[in-house]
Every structure is written in structure tokens, then in C-alpha cells.
Amino acid sequence: MPDLLFEVKDSIATITLNRPESYNAFSEEMILSWIAALEEIRDRDEIRVVLLKGNGKSFCAGGDVKAMVAGKGFYESKEDTTSTALARKNSLWKKIQRIPLLLEEIDKPVICQMHGYAMGAGLDMALMCDIRIAAESAKFAESYINVGIVPGDGGAYFLPKLVGIDQALDMLWTARVLTAEEAKEKGLVTFVVPDGELDTFVQSYVEKLSKGPQEAIRIIKRAVYQSQTMSLRSSLDYISSKMGIVTELPDHKEGVNAVLEKRKAVFK
């Protein structure tokens, strides 16, 4: 079986990490397939929602510790990823770090389903998603410090935005393991649901998004993220322009009519 599964069904793209024997730790095949899947998602307009999840007992353990112990870097590779500092940098820059950069280009909702363990880079990959839905038994940790390394995939960028600088430093400095409820309290995850209801809850959530007014959903995502680096005036100017666009679209007329007629809207 491949290390990553990718399928598109009913406008929902599902990426499944598939190294269950290694708690879905990274492999070179997984990373390259992940990049290819994100490029396809970015470029296919018929894809409306993205779901990221893991097979087996855990979501993702991040870097492959067995490969690190063997001196092979963050994952085994046919290329030189360890002989020099530049080789080690490029193993991140040319591969793992392509994932957050591609996600930044995707304006469709990206939902992460989490169970078992999400550790180190595995947790950070979830932080790059828009919504995180966790099973109540899930555990989370920024575990880099345990092996004397730093968050090389973007964790130092994403984590403080969600939990604040002090909480992010505490997590990164101590490798503290959080329960799902603790993670939710910190703002690390969006929803916590009973283990047995995780699949059903997530599927219902992504299906609801896939049936919404797609242009409005994508504009909302762009507006929220872009406004983080805009002045108030620029943000208001941006969103007023977008409002002018969406109010001309058929979805707006359908939504208004559905409200007046007290029925469920059918967005095209």
C-alpha cells in the first residue's frame, strides 16, 4: 500500500496518511505524494473541501525517529539529506516545507481529523489546516525538544497564532503532552468529540461545507487570512469589493429566496 492515500468523491478530497505501523511518521514517499495531492487540490475547481486524516492508531507522529537514530535525517531518502547543513536544510525547504506553502495557496476549507497521537511535525501539519476536529482520547505534543531539534516545518509560525506566544513557548520548551480537552482550552483544536463519533461528525461537517455557496466560502477564507496582515482600512476595502462580487452571483439570489420560502438552499 502507498504511504499516502488520495481520493476525490462528491467534491471532497481526502488525504489519508498511511504508515500505520509507524504511527504515520513521515516517509519521503508520503511527503512527495502529499505535495502532489495538494497541487491537484489547488488546481481542480470541482474540489470543494479537503479532509486530512491518518490510518491506524494515530494521526501522525511527525518525523521518523528510527531514521533519525540511524543518521538518515527526518526520513529515509535516496538523495543526500544529511551530509551537510545545506543538505539538511534542503530536505525541509524542498519537501516538507512545500506543504504549508501549498496550503497557503488553497482557498478551499481544509479540515483535519485527529485521533491517537499528533506529535511534533505531525501536530504542526494539523495546525496548518483551517479546522481541527479531535477524538476525546487524542494526545498532542510539540515534542521536538525531546530529540534536541527545532520545529522545522512551520510550527513556530502557526502555533503562536493559535495559542499565544507564551503558551507556544511552553509547549515547545517542555514537550508537554496535552489531552484533547486541554488542547481545545488552549485553542489548539476546534472541536472535541467522543471517539466513536469522530468519523460521523467529521463527515457531516465536510459534507455541509461542500454543499455551501463555494465562492463565498473561499472569499471568506481569503479575507480572514489576508486580514491578519492588513490594516483595518485595507481589510474593509478588500471585503467591500468582494461583497460587490458575491451579491451578483446566483448563490446569493438562491440563498435569499430559500430564506423567504423557508426551505433549504441548493447552491450551485
Side-chain angles (χ1 to χ4, degrees):
M1 292 289 287
D3 289 354
L4 182 140
L5 306 176
F6 176 60
E7 69 170 354
V8 179
K9 182 178 180 182
D10 298 329
S11 301
I12 299 170
T14 302
I15 296 173
T16 306
L17 310 182
N18 193 41
R19 297 186 72 212
E21 74 287 350
S22 302
Y23 297 96
N24 295 318
F26 295 163
S27 70
E28 184 172 51
E29 177 192 326
M30 177 188 287
I31 297 300
L32 293 175
S33 298
W34 205 333
I35 291 169
L38 291 176
E39 288 175 340
E40 184 171 342
I41 289 165
R42 177 195 61 194
D43 297 337
R44 286 179 60 180
D45 286 341
E46 69 270 25
I47 293 175
R48 296 183 169 196
V49 185
V50 185
L51 172 61
L52 172 65
K53 62 182 183 177
N55 266 344
K57 296 181 179 180
S58 283
F59 169 65
C60 183
D64 191 333
V65 175
K66 290 182 179 179
M68 294 183 207
V69 170
K72 297 178 180 179
F74 309 117
Y75 49 81
E76 290 193 36
S77 175
K78 297 176 182 178
E79 300 177 5
D80 175 16
T81 61
T82 60
S83 67
T84 65
L86 181 59
R88 293 188 290 277
K89 171 187 168 56
N90 283 336
S91 73
L92 294 170
W93 176 246
K94 293 184 177 181
K95 293 179 182 174
I96 291 175
Q97 290 179 348
R98 287 293 303 148
I99 292 172
L101 292 171
L102 280 166
L103 283 167
E104 190 177 45
E105 297 176 11
I106 294 171
D107 56 6
K108 304 154 189 178
V110 181
I111 313 304
C112 184
Q113 176 176 325
M114 309 173 75
H115 73 290
Y117 290 98
M119 299 292 174
L123 174 56
D124 292 341
M125 291 297 169
L127 304 185
M128 299 169 194
C129 299
D130 302 314
I131 301 288
R132 286 157 296 282
I133 304 173
E136 61 185 358
S137 65
K139 299 289 190 296
F140 310 87
E142 291 285 9
S143 52
Y144 300 97
I145 204 74
N146 289 340
V147 290
I149 59 174
V150 297
D153 57 359
Y157 177 87
F158 292 100
L159 185 62
K161 291 179 178 293
L162 293 170
V163 304
I165 291 175
D166 60 334
Q167 295 294 325
L169 287 171
D170 174 66
M171 288 181 65
L172 290 163
W173 281 339
T174 68
R176 188 185 314 282
V177 178
L178 303 179
T179 66
E181 285 296 340
E182 289 171 334
K184 188 175 187 301
E185 288 175 7
K186 290 181 182 292
L188 202 65
V189 299
T190 318
F191 300 106
V192 175
V193 299
D195 291 16
E197 299 175 14
L198 182 62
D199 288 340
T200 302
F201 184 97
V202 172
Q203 191 62 31
S204 175
Y205 192 90
V206 297
E207 286 178 0
K208 181 176 182 179
L209 291 178
S210 73
K211 295 175 182 176
Q214 292 305 299
E215 199 59 46
I217 285 173
R218 296 176 190 187
I219 287 173
I220 287 170
K221 177 171 175 174
R222 291 199 295 270
V224 167
Y225 283 108
Q226 292 182 35
S227 291
Q228 304 308 303
T229 57
M230 287 181 178
S231 67
L232 173 60
R233 181 175 295 274
S234 295
S235 178
L236 293 175
D237 185 48
Y238 173 88
I239 203 65
S240 59
S241 299
K242 297 301 183 182
M243 183 69 86
I245 293 172
V246 296
T247 49
E248 287 186 344
L249 300 178
D251 279 345
H252 171 58
K253 183 177 180 180
E254 166 63 11
V256 171
N257 287 337
V259 171
L260 290 175
E261 296 166 10
K262 298 181 179 179
R263 61 174 174 82
K264 189 173 183 178
V266 180
F267 297 111
K268 303 297 184 181

